[in-house]
Amino acid sequence: MDKAVTGATLRDFATAVSDLILPRHCFVCGRRLALAERHLCLGCRSDLPYTHFWSQPHNPMADKYNARIREQVPHGVEEAYGHAAALLYYNSESGYKNIPQALKYRSALRLGREFADKLGERLAASEAFADVDVVIPVPLHWRRRWGRGYNQAAVIARQVAAALGARLCTDGLRRLRYTPSQTSVGMEKKASNVSDAFRVLRRVEARHILLIDDTFTTGSTLAACHRALREVYPPSVRISVATLSYVGP
Ligand SMILES: [Zn+2]
């Protein structure tokens, strides 16, 4: 028998046995997964709410991000329009929010990598992002990184950098302050908490930097990272952003 077929059959058999002991469920709707399904059921997979922001240079996320940047750039400094794209769009009640949340809080690294690959593929095919040469994830404070065991933004950034053929720089930025989790503070308080929370840790040669985070809500965290990078990189270096998800109304 063909070796590949034997391998696939054995894998299916192992999945079937482990499904009996510990059933797998769709991350989005919670329905029990069939043997051939992975992470998401077919229904949720066929209905993924893609933003298509990667093919629209002016989109709601980019407008929000650039508005934040304008607030913090000193008067008279020319700042190029920062590109911004997310893979998925949803509101706070959607089941699709479970994808970035499972990556962030439930160590669903394989799920995170699968969707980060999808984001990377789209960015690589986009004119706005194709020339990115350095990818920097939004860092966690070392205490949170230690507690969680990984930085979810770095998990995404690694896949995106590979898709873009860009350099991954996980120590490009450092988070100075340990801030309470986003869910426990108000939006305004959060913005003031993060506004000067980052510093450049290592400067690398770059023409177009891509900052990566898991979710874009108000843009305050990414704008704070932009601000820290601008203290070191001249305006000729473009700074764009990408996330797995964009949370809208
Ligand atoms: Zn489902």
Side-chain angles (χ1 to χ4, degrees):
M1 195 190 286
D2 190 314
K3 251 190 193 166
V5 172
T6 320
T9 314
L10 278 176
R11 215 166 25 249
D12 280 354
F13 180 70
T15 309
V17 171
S18 89
D19 272 1
L20 282 177
I21 303 162
L22 198 69
R24 299 170 304 133
H25 294 94
C26 171
F27 276 97
V28 174
C29 71
R31 196 174 67 73
R32 197 168 159 174
L33 291 182
L35 185 59
E37 292 171 334
R38 214 168 147 247
H39 302 144
L40 266 59
C41 72
L42 274 181
C44 291
R45 201 171 271 282
S46 65
D47 209 19
L48 283 168
Y50 289 124
T51 63
H52 297 280
F53 286 169
W54 50 87
S55 54
Q56 302 159 14
H58 289 266
N59 60 61
M61 176 176 167
D63 287 345
K64 266 193 203 178
Y65 172 61
N66 283 282
R68 287 250 174 220
I69 292 171
R70 299 272 171 274
E71 287 166 16
Q72 61 190 26
V73 168
H75 194 66
V77 174
E78 255 330 288
E79 173 75 44
Y81 190 83
H83 297 302
L87 182 71
L88 305 173
Y89 171 91
Y90 49 70
N91 65 26
S92 56
E93 277 123 62
S94 162
Y96 286 96
K97 73 174 179 211
N98 299 337
I99 295 174
Q101 285 189 357
L103 169 63
K104 191 167 175 177
Y105 301 113
R106 290 166 55 198
S107 306
L109 301 185
R110 280 192 201 152
L111 170 80
R113 287 190 197 109
E114 184 202 327
F115 281 87
D117 284 340
K118 288 184 194 296
L119 174 65
E121 277 166 31
R122 284 157 181 82
L123 297 181
S126 154
E127 246 178 63
F129 296 93
D131 66 341
V132 164
D133 53 353
V134 173
V135 177
I136 301 179
V138 171
L140 294 179
H141 187 269
W142 68 267
R143 269 172 67 189
R144 177 148 294 141
R145 164 75 181 69
W146 186 72
R148 193 169 291 162
Y150 60 94
N151 172 5
Q152 70 281 359
V155 173
I156 302 163
R158 182 172 299 280
Q159 307 305 114
V160 169
L164 289 169
R167 179 173 176 187
L168 173 69
C169 187
T170 51
D171 57 354
L173 286 167
R174 185 161 67 103
R175 199 174 199 126
L176 301 174
R177 284 206 310 274
Y178 185 72
T179 45
S181 87
Q182 297 181 14
T183 41
S184 62
V185 290
M187 289 298 181
E188 254 172 56
K189 196 158 174 234
K190 196 202 145 200
S192 69
N193 270 341
V194 296
S195 64
D196 57 353
F198 301 94
R199 286 286 177 279
V200 168
L201 184 60
R202 189 159 70 96
R203 188 189 194 283
V204 292
E205 274 308 307
R207 290 185 315 275
H208 187 172
I209 296 174
L210 180 64
L211 277 166
I212 297 277
D213 205 358
D214 51 350
T215 301
F216 186 105
T217 311
T218 64
S220 57
T221 304
L222 285 159
C225 289
H226 175 282
R227 179 163 150 168
L229 290 170
R230 266 293 168 257
E231 284 175 16
V232 172
Y233 293 93
S236 57
V237 176
R238 192 187 280 273
I239 302 172
S240 301
V241 299
T243 59
L244 270 194
S245 54
Y246 173 77
V247 184

